[in-house]
């Protein structure tokens, strides 16, 4: 039961940039570095209006069995889920490996309220959530596979925290950077997160220019991707932009 | 083709309470009584703003075949779907066993308008619905698996009503209590529904208190679940609450 | 790489009517003509507030392989996706056979902006879309299976355009009429589209009358479907309606 | 709980022919008569060496619930499964609608031994079977979706017999003719079974001739299907065959 | 990386009995003790002619990522899969949590040969196996979900051993008793395994008698389950049996 | 309707080697060259006793529609399936993109007999086959997803041949090398097939040695993979082997 580890801490600038770029841009940057499988498919945001940036605090569930913590009143001193709830800290994103199981919940809104109060940056599960309508009222970026009213213990229960897990078919290492927007969640390996944040921001500036040109009626030929001629035009636009005090 | 049976009729107080509690609370109460599988997974509410409380009026579909009521103009005198439509009465929730089939609809908005006029309390299907955008305008709590524009008869058709069915993997007996909120639908076995309604209401009062404490910054330790000390604090809060005329 | 073919061009009246009827009505008309499988299941509209009417411009994807256009910077002169983007014209609906694959995107919002500028009437894919939140801001009727931030090239890439394809299990021939509303997308075979448009409009007028009667509290017996007596009442209502200058 | 009904009884000749033709040929004949969906997908024969011909005796399962015949010692006087076991007679094929559920068994080898002794012609379930290795030693044609050691009662239980059911997505009416070979199971609607049996036999004779020609090295052109010239050659071959005393 | 733990060691008599009873009987005994979910669905035996009895040695896989042990030449000193291979001992059954993933292998026949030489009692995975045809020649009871020729590292890799895992939706604790026959695999919780082994043997003797009676043509009424009269007949038969020296 | 193209022709030595190595070894060699997705999951061999080596001749199916070649007597002069049957030549493997659809067949045994007579090296489909029991008697290596008695035309029909296709999620280019054994089918990109064949053979010789050592009781440490010391021992063994006239 190791605490969350953060081998790499992002600079405030990188965090700022991660708050503005999209998961789409991040996966492009990760693909350039050889990472093919970093976006978690099949999740729905319960607060699509919020951005999520934080470090992975992982929680692993296994199938339930009648002799293993089944039907018990939760003992907050030993129950792994409860230890995790009181272990999560500021900037942590609690990421749950619920084995993509949606025939039961994997978390509820009362303990979610608690991790929010503890400073958690978000909640991600590849399983179900109960009281999901109330999650829509909670100021915590939350992603799940689907609603389920039933408490989880009949279906599965947590046994480990801060170990490598799979979430929706994607590897999550404790301390990885977790970013979410209205599209979904991307896991950014900690070792490349700082660099990726900065280059993603650059990429988005270029794409902003490209979209403007295309909205103005131009063909994608030469524009997307930029050929040499258009790249120098873009550089000029970018420079001018900067002079106006824009980032 | 038996009419809907209602072996157990809820008191007005129980109905009132069922209108305010959540499906999450109900499944907790049912689990305490040994019922593990009462929430129907995978359904979407078309009117998440409405609560649904009523008694199950069941309808069972089988796969279509070209010699069995296929392509026919519906004969309202013999067609089981149409008999059901004119058989549903006040407080009935029409629950359809569509075999979780979404490659066709299992009900449409015209006949749904009719059951609403007949006083139906809701509509639940584990299959498709057609004209689903119009269902969003109908004052009838409705739950389905997904939209499908095609009339059902090519895929399946009803053969039975008010028999035990499965809906989304959950048993539904005619006369069971059916409750729905924005999370989904729970089937409350008729024999325990009255008792469950009252205890669910109690549970929600306790949880309201717990959430207040957690929102105020307290740990879940001792609070969720309440230990002895906090339980007496809660009882005091509850008593005070009652003096203020709150339920 | 044939251009889009349009063997049958709809009259302006038919297009007008297709803009007002529902996919539900169209599938009924198609079923009457023997077409059982024309509605694409499992898609979500990103702009449910818009209607889509156009002709199918098809694009076919195959699984990716590391030696076939993998990881390349897109060459707009030879890449099939890019040729399609600059080949789509007014009233075309780009329909993508993405093999129902949602572990990657099949299109993104920059090139979608371009086809919108070229006059495209819509975009339909049985796969993923990236930058899906931005699609909600684009004035282009768009239907997809789910969001995915990752560029498609790791998973699949287009090899053909304007060939017969399957989309969500439904045949789409280049030039077929494609209609979409908030329920989903229906493929209307080009040979029957004109006729279907007119009869769908008639059907909806009848159903409008039926719904009024049912909302007024009448039984479906004799009304839905109309028996002879009610049909003549309907004809009278219809005639009166027309005199008031309604269509 | 009606007994099995047999509206149409096959002649001994038809039964004889059904024992020799394949499910492939039967579906062709059924398709000619407009029946598109008669073969049950996804089943495995436990005795692929045996042919099955009989009349459908149906049994319908619903999901289990803790208050409905759960965990009980089977009461053979009231339990529907046991009533069915002692209700099945000679030439009956017991066809189970297990809702395609494979997370539990729907029948076991002890009661299967009993229906074999009662003269049953076969057993078909779209769910699981327990003690499946022993079924391989039983002289009863049996088809299932997969093995599962667990008794069914935790997952589902039977509530009805000899009602219309779905089995693997195919309609089965009590009294329908059920035919099985090593490929799987086809449901032949009772009204057309006699005719289909005879024409299927004819079709197989033609195909036997076609296969001989193709094995001899001829093209399928003109042979499959037979054009006029080859049809007359076939008729001659057929006549000669008959003279030799072959059927 | 704890070694395999065996909190409960079976007596030789229990092991002997587990080698002769079926998984079907074991799940019945487990259900009597409240365990509803102990049989792993969806696995195929590669050696259905062999019985498997041993203690669970667990191995947990997570999804692959390009920066985590991807494409590496296996280092036998640190790679978890290789440590497990050389950690497995006599009577261990290696049980792999491969997340039910069949798009890659989770084990191959060379390392399987090694664990067989080390005395392993079997191999169970809810994922793929490569070189599966060779497994059919190996004297090691093996269960898998399906064949896949590709080495696992592209899809997933092991991170943990001898931790609680899920395998095909069933909880497996290190040291649990694992039994397999031609039907599949059942996980017997260590605490009840001794008792279950003995009672399963008793149950099978009763069922042997029941089957004999049913094969002789008797009804299941009174026989299955045995009523009082038949139970005393059975006891007599059993006693006589024992006198003949049978167990 | 281009004929099959073969950009790369294998040497007889390479073909000989492909006939003896396994799909497992081939995927290892392909992975070394960066190809991650070349094995087709989910297929079953109907003749697991035969090896298959040939060049891909592709055939593409789309969903059926009532106005497009539906219910027709096959016209061998224009029907794409029939043109393919008479277009397949020696060493061709007919590979069908049936969209992984198993609710109908995609090929039958009569036309399979014809392609065998024309010299085809095998048949691979990611869909169904009808008359599948007869395929087990045909001397043609055949792989399919499952049996289905129904002729394909109700579900889908072929529109293209010798175009790039997906088969079971794997890209198949016309002219790619297709190899099958009892495990399944691997698609070897034409450009690397010659080289891969030779190196796969080398790999298998090494593995033969490794397996011998492991069977003799040695640890995998140092042996699998071979460290420097054991590699030189292997080289000596290999040289000795060659002197004995083995390859």
């Amino acid at each position: 039961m190791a605490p969350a580890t953060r081998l790499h801490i992002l600079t405030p600038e990188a965090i700022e940039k991660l708050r503005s770029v999209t998961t789409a841009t991040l996966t492009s940057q990760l693909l350039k570095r050889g990472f093919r499988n970093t976006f978690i498919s099949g999740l729905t945001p319960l607060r699509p209006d919020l951005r999520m940036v934080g470090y992975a605090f992982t929680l692993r569930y296994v199938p339930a069995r009648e002799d293993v913590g089944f039907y018990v009143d939760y003992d907050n001193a030993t129950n792994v889920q409860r230890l995790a709830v009181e272990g999560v800290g500021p900037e942590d994103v609690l990421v749950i490996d619920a084995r993509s199981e949606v025939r039961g919940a994997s978390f509820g809104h009362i303990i979610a309220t608690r991790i929010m109060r503890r400073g958690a940056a978000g909640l991600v599960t590849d399983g179900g959530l109960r009281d999901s309508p109330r999650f829509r009222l909670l100021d915590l970026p939350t992603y799940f596979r689907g609603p389920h009213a039933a408490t989880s213990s009949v279906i599965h229960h947590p046994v480990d925290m801060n170990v490598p897990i799979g979430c929706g078919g994607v590897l999550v290492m404790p301390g990885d950077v977790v970013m979410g927007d209205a599209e979904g969640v991307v896991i950014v390996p900690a070792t490349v997160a700082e660099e990726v944040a900065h280059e993603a921001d650059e990429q988005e500036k270029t794409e902003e220019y490209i979209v403007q040109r295309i909205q103005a009626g131009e063909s994608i030929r030469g524009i997307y991707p930029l050929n040499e001629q258009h790249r120098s035009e873009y550089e000029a636009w970018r420079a001018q932009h900067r002079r106006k005090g824009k980032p």
Side-chain angles (χ1 to χ4, degrees), chain A residues 58-78:
Chain A
T58 68
L59 193 54
R60 180 169 78 90
Y61 284 55
V62 290
R65 197 167 72 191
E66 286 79 356
D67 64 338
V68 183
F70 197 82
Y71 274 143
V72 301
D73 285 317
Y74 284 103
D75 177 345
N76 290 336
T78 60

Side-chain angles (χ1 to χ4, degrees), chain A residues 5-56:
Chain A
T5 55
R6 290 188 193 163
L7 297 175
H8 297 264
I9 301 292
L10 295 169
T11 60
E13 293 74 30
I15 288 176
E16 182 71 17
K17 286 173 176 173
L18 286 175
R19 280 194 205 288
S20 76
V21 299
T22 64
T23 52
T25 305
L26 288 178
T27 58
S28 291
Q29 288 297 323
L30 289 167
L31 187 56
K32 278 192 185 172
R33 287 158 181 81
F35 295 99
R36 296 191 191 180
N37 181 33
T38 55
F39 181 80
I40 305 177
S41 296
L43 302 190
T44 300
L46 278 157
R47 289 293 304 268
D49 55 317
L50 300 180
R51 287 294 180 106
M52 175 175 72
V53 178
Y55 301 92

Side-chain angles (χ1 to χ4, degrees), chain A residues 107-177:
Chain A
F107 221 72
H109 101 285
I110 296 179
I111 50 180
T113 302
R114 176 61 184 151
I115 66 168
M116 187 185 70
R117 293 293 302 171
R118 288 186 60 84
L123 172 63
V124 179
T125 176
D126 65 357
L129 288 178
R130 82 191 287 244
D131 265 329
S132 56
R134 286 184 188 163
F135 274 93
R136 296 189 191 276
L137 307 174
L138 212 59
D139 287 328
L140 182 73
T142 302
Y143 297 80
F144 76 149
R145 193 173 297 276
H148 202 292
T151 47
S152 62
S153 61
V154 169
I155 294 293
H156 49 198
H157 60 106
V159 286
D160 260 339
M161 58 171 132
N162 287 318
V163 292
I165 60 170
C167 183
V170 172
L171 180 70
V172 188
M173 304 289 285
D176 277 343
V177 172

Side-chain angles (χ1 to χ4, degrees), chain A residues 1-4 6 57 76 79-90 92 94 114-115 118-120 161-162:
Chain A
M1 298 293 168
R6 290 188 193 163
F57 183 110
N76 290 336
N79 181 280
V80 176
Q81 190 192 60
R82 301 310 168 93
L83 291 173
V85 165
E86 294 293 339
V88 164
D92 280 337
L94 186 62
R114 176 61 184 151
I115 66 168
R118 288 186 60 84
M161 58 171 132
N162 287 318

